[in-house]
Amino acid sequence: MTATMDAPEKQVNESLNSRWQALLATLPKLRIRNAANELGVSELELLLCRTEGVQPLKAEFGELMKAMDAVGDVMILTRNDQVVHEITATFNKFTVAGKGAMGLAVGDIDVRVFFNSWAHGYLVTENTGKITRESLQFFNAHGMALHKIYKTGATNTSAWDALVGEYLNPAAEAPVLTAAPAPAERTDSGTVDVGALKEDWSKLKDVHHFHAMLKRNKVDRQTAVELVGSKWVTRLKRSTDDVLSPLDQILEQAKASQCAIMVFVGNPGIVQIFAGTVGNVKRMGPWINVLDKGFNLHANTDGISDWFVVRRPSTDGTITSLEGYNAKGEIVVTLFGDRKPGNPEPEHWQREVAALEKRLCV
């Protein structure tokens, strides 16, 4: 970084870096997010203890993202604590709306961005000994990583370098990070008017109106799913020694039948979406993975405590999703059948979900 550090801050960074290196000596494949959790700091704090290869960006994130269209293929990565979602493709007409609060790209790269959560950005250069990787990494005010964009072998290097040159901010001061808030508490189910919730749910006409419906009923998403009843929701078994996780099962079914799916993964700053078929599905320890050209998914199903098949009415007919929640009640992955707005849900997807329910219904 080019920002000047005073002596105490430098000592803290050197101490943290030493602890990080000691941890990597024991666990050389440990990812930075997991290392930060082990060390009790944010990912951005850990990144900034590096002595080189981290350069701040201007906080003009909407304009920067619009400029990504010109650089060609990149690998974009969005994750939460349980699931990592990676797409390699080209941005197409990224747009900004809501007075700069929201951003959108559709096409091979499909993202919904919530810029109010974006606070810090950096160009990160990493030398692995074999290759040098460059990425643009974006964080919230607490130092949580929200989104990363990696340069690839197919990236237009001159366009990438021009973009980086325009948005680097060498005069930036070291960030002051705020403490992360406590996880939001689940709604007390005894305070929810279940009859009103069921009535409101049954009148949904668009899946995009779902969050507004939850807000009207003063209920968090998982509690609503648990209360609305079997007409709309089926709870599924978690993975056990004898039972695959619902995510393993639906991915293997989709692979076998070539049912086109949509996979949504998000965090407070972004939702990233894949649409298409999957091919290389592989279980590795606690992780179920999709390892396809252009799309990688890595989900630690040990950390996904609740699974539901959820149905919502709409003007296009019933829309069915598979939803996974962590122990905090946060939704970490959602799967739908691949469809365009205005079209009904594919019967192929409905058959796969029905088969999943038959196998794993609690």
Side-chain angles (χ1 to χ4, degrees), residues 189-233:
S189 59
T191 67
V192 180
D193 184 334
V194 177
L197 173 65
K198 290 182 177 181
E199 179 72 12
D200 228 4
W201 190 298
S202 69
K203 292 180 178 178
L204 284 168
K205 298 185 182 302
D206 189 320
V207 292
H208 298 101
H209 299 161
F210 184 65
H211 291 287
M213 187 274 291
L214 295 178
K215 189 173 182 180
R216 283 196 304 274
N217 286 273
K218 299 179 181 178
V219 61
D220 69 88
R221 183 173 183 143
Q222 185 174 345
T223 300
V225 165
E226 291 171 340
L227 292 177
V228 75
S230 59
K231 177 180 179 180
W232 301 110
V233 173

Side-chain angles (χ1 to χ4, degrees), residues 287-306:
W287 297 84
I288 182 66
N289 305 274
V290 177
L291 305 171
D292 288 342
K293 182 179 180 180
F295 174 55
N296 281 193
L297 182 75
H298 314 285
N300 184 341
T301 55
D302 283 358
I304 305 178
S305 53
D306 294 286

Side-chain angles (χ1 to χ4, degrees), residues 96-322:
V96 177
K99 297 182 179 179
M102 299 183 66
L104 170 73
V106 295
D108 292 335
I109 286 182
D110 193 347
V111 291
R112 311 291 181 269
V113 181
F114 313 109
F115 285 119
N116 286 342
S117 292
W118 292 37
H120 310 289
Y122 292 86
L123 169 67
V124 179
T125 306
E126 302 167 274
N127 190 332
T128 66
K130 296 180 180 179
I131 60 171
T132 298
R133 297 197 306 172
E134 288 188 15
S135 60
L136 306 177
Q137 303 191 11
F138 305 96
F139 302 82
N140 70 8
H142 319 304
M144 173 196 289
L146 301 174
H147 187 57
K148 300 179 182 181
I149 302 175
Y150 285 85
K151 181 182 179 183
T152 74
T155 303
N156 182 323
T157 297
S158 60
W160 174 274
D161 291 344
L163 182 150
V164 167
E166 182 175 356
Y167 286 97
L168 280 178
N169 186 14
E173 297 181 355
V176 177
L177 302 181
T178 59
E185 292 187 5
R186 296 279 306 279
T187 307
D188 180 350
S189 59
T191 67
V192 180
D193 184 334
V194 177
L197 173 65
K198 290 182 177 181
E199 179 72 12
D200 228 4
W201 190 298
S202 69
K203 292 180 178 178
L204 284 168
K205 298 185 182 302
D206 189 320
V207 292
H208 298 101
H209 299 161
F210 184 65
H211 291 287
M213 187 274 291
L214 295 178
K215 189 173 182 180
R216 283 196 304 274
N217 286 273
K218 299 179 181 178
V219 61
D220 69 88
R221 183 173 183 143
Q222 185 174 345
T223 300
V225 165
E226 291 171 340
L227 292 177
V228 75
S230 59
K231 177 180 179 180
W232 301 110
V233 173
T234 303
R235 182 185 284 273
L236 303 179
K237 296 175 184 176
R238 290 186 63 187
S239 57
T240 67
D241 291 341
D242 301 319
V243 176
L244 290 173
S245 82
L247 185 57
D248 286 73
Q249 188 66 58
I250 201 68
L251 289 174
E252 290 290 356
Q253 289 177 211
K255 172 186 173 181
S257 70
Q258 286 298 282
C259 177
I261 61 175
M262 300 179 75
V263 184
F264 290 61
V265 172
N267 58 48
I270 188 170
V271 174
Q272 186 167 302
I273 305 162
F274 163 79
T277 57
V278 295
N280 187 7
V281 178
K282 189 172 184 179
R283 166 63 67 170
M284 300 178 187
W287 297 84
I288 182 66
N289 305 274
V290 177
L291 305 171
D292 288 342
K293 182 179 180 180
F295 174 55
N296 281 193
L297 182 75
H298 314 285
N300 184 341
T301 55
D302 283 358
I304 305 178
S305 53
D306 294 286
W307 290 97
F308 304 91
V309 169
V310 179
R311 292 178 170 87
R312 301 174 185 83
S314 81
T315 54
D316 298 330
T318 300
I319 306 301
T320 310
S321 60
L322 171 65

Side-chain angles (χ1 to χ4, degrees), residues 81-96:
D81 284 339
Q82 284 73 41
V83 188
V84 185
H85 191 292
E86 303 171 2
I87 296 284
T88 300
T90 300
F91 278 92
N92 180 31
K93 296 181 180 178
F94 187 94
T95 59
V96 177

Side-chain angles (χ1 to χ4, degrees), residues 326-349:
N326 65 18
K328 299 175 185 176
E330 299 167 337
I331 189 165
V332 295
V333 62
T334 311
L335 287 83
F336 293 89
D338 186 15
R339 74 178 189 97
K340 300 297 183 184
N343 295 329
E345 181 173 81
E347 292 183 3
H348 194 170
W349 170 249

